[in-house]
Amino acid sequence: MKKLNALKVFLFAIVMAFAVSGTAMAGSQDFTLVNGTGKTITYIYLSPTSTSEWIYQDELGNNVLRPGQDIFLYFDPRDGVQYWDVKVVYENGAEDYWIGLDLYRVYSLTIRPGGASSIEMI
């Protein structure tokens, strides 16, 4: 009887481990972008790392993202892409890039000048 209960607990643990890991991969790519650049951002672009065109363009609309401000970026759940690139354009026209971000794991991304960043993982 003890062996049967131990086997049930073991199998339950395995099932739960697969369920949790599957949930992480099926999770959302939504994240908070924090402007830590010290400059005003006028445009934000996002694209899967595997493509050369920016599929999410001008995520700020008619707004700007001032130093220290943040924006929550939403994704279409059908995207199903794990690695993304981010491009920002500053009010002086200069650009910075962050390449190959695993958005299934990123909760918050604080961008810094020259492509540096601080990432809070899920």
Side-chain angles (χ1 to χ4, degrees):
M1 184 68 160
K2 277 189 173 183
K3 283 187 178 184
L4 184 58
N5 284 337
L7 181 60
K8 284 181 184 178
V9 170
F10 178 73
L11 291 175
F12 179 76
I14 289 174
V15 168
M16 290 307 295
F18 280 113
V20 170
S21 66
T23 301
M25 286 306 291
S28 175
Q29 301 100 326
D30 300 349
F31 71 101
T32 299
L33 178 76
V34 181
N35 183 0
T37 66
K39 303 174 191 174
T40 298
I41 296 171
T42 54
Y43 300 100
I44 298 173
Y45 300 92
L46 298 126
S47 175
T49 298
S50 60
T51 65
S52 59
E53 68 181 72
W54 299 101
I55 64 167
Y56 286 100
Q57 298 186 21
D58 192 11
E59 291 299 302
L60 290 172
N62 293 324
N63 299 315
V64 297
L65 194 63
R66 301 201 186 285
Q69 289 183 324
D70 62 64
I71 183 172
F72 190 75
L73 297 170
Y74 298 91
F75 285 80
D76 186 326
R78 294 173 291 172
D79 285 330
V81 176
Q82 185 169 2
Y83 295 98
W84 290 79
D85 300 338
V86 175
K87 173 177 120 174
V88 299
V89 179
Y90 302 106
E91 62 186 346
N92 67 359
E95 300 175 349
D96 270 328
Y97 299 85
W98 292 265
I99 307 297
L101 301 169
D102 182 350
L103 294 189
Y104 281 129
R105 298 178 156 241
V106 171
Y107 170 75
S108 177
L109 172 67
T110 301
I111 55 175
R112 311 251 186 246
S117 63
S118 302
I119 298 173
E120 287 183 44
M121 307 288 273
I122 293 176

